[in-house]
Amino acid sequence: MIAKWAYGNVPQFVNQMNTEAKRLGMDHTNYADPAGVSELTESTAVDQLKIASVAMSFSVFREIVNLQKVTFPIVGTIQNTNSDLGQDGIIGIKTGNLVHIGNIALAAYRSVNHKRVLVIGVVLGQYGQNVYGSLNAALIAGKNLIESF
């Protein structure tokens, strides 16, 4: 719905997504649909890290992705699928998973040389037996990545 509202139709919106990806230096990314779930969509963790870094530069985005739940009119309360939010300084960003493949982009505050810095990481292609297993695998891999910093 947003694609149609913003650009009149889905193909024009996807074209703009790809244009913006190239502008950000995401040379190994090609979006085929607005949600990124098409088998024709291609990207890398490094490319997704670029867009995650840009998104996290906006305070309103940081606030939104740090919400553990949100209540909407009509649909009610929706729980964030990132169960690591609020733990070990983790403040977002996004989980994504299909049946057997889990992905996560996450951010956390860390102390580096006595300075508070925002660390951002992306993990793609974590496998599980089902949709919950793949999400759990991505959450574990993401948390391990952030904790290694």
Side-chain angles (χ1 to χ4, degrees), residues 12-51:
Q12 285 183 347
F13 182 79
V14 172
N15 183 56
Q16 184 59 36
M17 288 173 64
N18 286 311
T19 298
E20 187 64 15
K22 295 303 178 221
R23 188 187 73 75
L24 293 173
M26 297 169 64
D27 298 327
H28 303 286
T29 295
N30 182 61
Y31 294 110
D33 70 318
V37 297
S38 167
E39 290 183 6
L40 300 175
T41 291
E42 298 175 320
S43 193
T44 63
V46 171
D47 277 6
Q48 292 303 300
L49 184 61
K50 291 175 183 178
I51 198 166

Side-chain angles (χ1 to χ4, degrees), residues 101-128:
I101 301 171
N103 307 305
I104 190 166
L106 69 162
Y109 284 107
R110 292 287 183 261
S111 178
V112 177
N113 294 329
H114 307 289
K115 291 174 67 176
R116 186 176 185 233
V117 297
L118 183 63
V119 176
I120 301 171
V122 174
V123 177
L124 302 178
Q126 299 302 297
Y127 293 94

Side-chain angles (χ1 to χ4, degrees), residues 9-149:
N9 62 54
V10 171
Q12 285 183 347
F13 182 79
V14 172
N15 183 56
Q16 184 59 36
M17 288 173 64
N18 286 311
T19 298
E20 187 64 15
K22 295 303 178 221
R23 188 187 73 75
L24 293 173
M26 297 169 64
D27 298 327
H28 303 286
T29 295
N30 182 61
Y31 294 110
D33 70 318
V37 297
S38 167
E39 290 183 6
L40 300 175
T41 291
E42 298 175 320
S43 193
T44 63
V46 171
D47 277 6
Q48 292 303 300
L49 184 61
K50 291 175 183 178
I51 198 166
S53 296
V54 170
M56 290 300 285
S57 72
F58 296 97
S59 61
V60 69
F61 184 84
R62 288 192 309 272
E63 289 174 28
I64 291 168
V65 299
N66 194 25
L67 295 173
Q68 294 185 358
K69 62 183 176 182
V70 178
T71 301
F72 293 101
I74 302 172
V75 296
T77 301
I78 298 175
Q79 192 75 28
N80 192 319
T81 58
N82 185 347
S83 58
D84 291 335
L85 277 178
Q87 298 178 39
D88 301 318
I90 295 174
I91 63 165
I93 299 174
K94 179 176 184 345
T95 61
N97 61 305
L98 300 171
V99 176
H100 297 290
I101 301 171
N103 307 305
I104 190 166
L106 69 162
Y109 284 107
R110 292 287 183 261
S111 178
V112 177
N113 294 329
H114 307 289
K115 291 174 67 176
R116 186 176 185 233
V117 297
L118 183 63
V119 176
I120 301 171
V122 174
V123 177
L124 302 178
Q126 299 302 297
Y127 293 94
Q129 294 294 319
N130 54 40
V131 69
Y132 302 107
S134 62
L135 175 59
N136 191 50
L139 287 166
I140 290 168
K143 192 169 185 179
N144 289 339
L145 176 64
I146 288 293
E147 287 178 349
S148 72
F149 198 87

